[in-house]
Amino acid sequence: LNDMIRTRESVLEGMKLHRDRAEKMLAEGLIARYNYLRACVAVSDAERNLFDDKKKLELAMLALTNAISLDEGTPIVISDSLVPGNSVKDAEYYASLAEKENPLIRIIDQKSLLAGEKTSAERAKYLPVIAAFGKYEFYPEYLSAIEPRWAVGVSLNLNLFNGFQDQANLEKSRLLEKEISLIRADATSKIRLLVNKYHKASLIALERYDQGAAAHELAQENLRLNEKRFETGLGTSLEVVDARLMLEKSEIDRKVSLYDYYKNMGQLYNACGKPLEFINIWNKPEEKLK
């Protein structure tokens, strides 16, 4: 939003210069009054766009102070800026990372482990329970006449029939394991789809930013030519205004593309379960120097 406001201010300044130039040319009888009025309307539109973006920035600042637990109204100066980067790896890297680190997948894996242990416990009920015991009395004077001083023994417990309850519980545990396995497969598929979505969106944003360089250069040259045509009386105010609006659009489109790139990369690493990796992309020095 800071970058957007700087662009809006630049456009407003250019529109005011054009309006002043048109006013002088109108006074000299070189252009029709319509051209001057069109320049005035363009200034009004630029002022409105700048006002709207400033209000959006104020709201964003309130959200930022709330997010970092500062008091409302605490002054914050944003010193960083969006710069182009090229840190997008191939899609398979992010997909495999998400399958290992995504919190949802890890929770499902824990549930699967617990379900497997439950199945083992239910299966163990089919086996006999064997226990060995022994004792020896060091002080026989405390024993009665019928109590032995020492004893050893073995006990065995085997449930022969309980109305097929053990079988039902074992089958229920096996079905739970299968259900969790299907849930994991579905979650993995959906997370992979989400990862691919953000990965492609990041690549598209970078490509759109690179492609916008030619359009931006063309818009600058178009504005220069139309201003010259207007000053010589061969062009109209509308042509100058349209040329400046085209330049504004090309600049904003590139800034939006950069914003989309970082936003999608942040979402991508969130889906992968590695949100802090986004900081490494943001802070790469070679990108900051571009």
Side-chain angles (χ1 to χ4, degrees), residues 150-250:
W150 62 273
V152 294
V154 177
S155 68
L156 184 146
N157 183 13
L158 178 62
N159 191 353
L160 297 178
F161 183 76
N162 65 345
F164 301 104
Q165 185 62 42
D166 291 342
Q167 182 178 353
N169 290 338
L170 178 59
E171 188 65 24
K172 186 187 300 182
S173 298
R174 287 173 174 170
L175 290 175
L176 178 61
E177 277 192 287
K178 184 177 181 181
E179 181 182 5
I180 292 176
S181 176
L182 294 174
I183 290 174
R184 190 188 192 284
D186 181 64
T188 301
S189 176
K190 290 179 178 178
I191 290 173
R192 179 178 285 269
L193 177 62
L194 186 65
V195 166
N196 286 329
K197 170 191 172 183
Y198 290 131
H199 179 261
K200 290 185 181 299
S202 299
L203 291 177
I204 291 172
L206 276 181
E207 183 68 21
R208 192 166 62 239
Y209 176 82
D210 292 336
Q211 291 177 349
H216 183 260
E217 185 177 354
L218 176 61
Q220 288 178 318
E221 181 64 17
N222 182 54
L223 175 60
R224 187 184 68 82
L225 291 176
N226 278 285
E227 285 181 334
K228 291 294 184 182
R229 282 169 48 83
F230 179 74
E231 291 174 357
T232 57
L234 298 176
T236 64
S237 177
L238 180 60
E239 291 173 339
V240 176
V241 170
D242 287 344
R244 188 166 293 279
L245 290 177
M246 183 184 298
L247 177 60
E248 178 188 32
K249 182 178 182 301
S250 68

Side-chain angles (χ1 to χ4, degrees), residues 40-244:
C40 292
V41 171
V43 170
S44 177
D45 291 340
E47 288 175 340
R48 185 179 66 252
N49 292 333
L50 177 60
F51 175 81
D52 292 343
D53 281 345
K54 283 185 175 180
K55 292 302 179 183
K56 290 178 183 178
L57 179 61
E58 290 177 8
L59 180 59
M61 285 299 186
L62 289 175
L64 179 59
T65 55
N66 179 266
I68 57 180
S69 301
L70 294 178
D71 294 333
E72 185 175 328
T74 302
I76 298 177
V77 178
I78 307 299
S79 60
D80 213 335
S81 60
L82 295 177
V83 294
N86 190 20
S87 301
V88 186
K89 299 180 176 65
D90 59 277
E92 191 57 36
Y93 166 80
Y94 297 106
S96 60
L97 184 63
E99 191 167 352
K100 295 176 184 176
E101 301 294 340
N102 184 275
L104 178 60
I105 296 295
R106 298 177 72 175
I107 290 173
I108 295 175
D109 287 341
Q110 289 296 320
K111 297 292 184 183
S112 178
L113 181 62
L114 292 175
E117 292 177 353
K118 180 175 174 57
T119 300
S120 298
E122 295 295 342
R123 189 183 295 110
K125 292 180 180 179
Y126 283 91
L127 303 176
V129 179
I130 302 175
F133 66 92
K135 75 168 188 172
Y136 182 82
E137 295 290 344
F138 286 97
Y139 303 99
E141 59 270 17
Y142 294 107
L143 297 175
S144 64
I146 62 174
E147 288 183 285
R149 186 173 182 180
W150 62 273
V152 294
V154 177
S155 68
L156 184 146
N157 183 13
L158 178 62
N159 191 353
L160 297 178
F161 183 76
N162 65 345
F164 301 104
Q165 185 62 42
D166 291 342
Q167 182 178 353
N169 290 338
L170 178 59
E171 188 65 24
K172 186 187 300 182
S173 298
R174 287 173 174 170
L175 290 175
L176 178 61
E177 277 192 287
K178 184 177 181 181
E179 181 182 5
I180 292 176
S181 176
L182 294 174
I183 290 174
R184 190 188 192 284
D186 181 64
T188 301
S189 176
K190 290 179 178 178
I191 290 173
R192 179 178 285 269
L193 177 62
L194 186 65
V195 166
N196 286 329
K197 170 191 172 183
Y198 290 131
H199 179 261
K200 290 185 181 299
S202 299
L203 291 177
I204 291 172
L206 276 181
E207 183 68 21
R208 192 166 62 239
Y209 176 82
D210 292 336
Q211 291 177 349
H216 183 260
E217 185 177 354
L218 176 61
Q220 288 178 318
E221 181 64 17
N222 182 54
L223 175 60
R224 187 184 68 82
L225 291 176
N226 278 285
E227 285 181 334
K228 291 294 184 182
R229 282 169 48 83
F230 179 74
E231 291 174 357
T232 57
L234 298 176
T236 64
S237 177
L238 180 60
E239 291 173 339
V240 176
V241 170
D242 287 344
R244 188 166 293 279

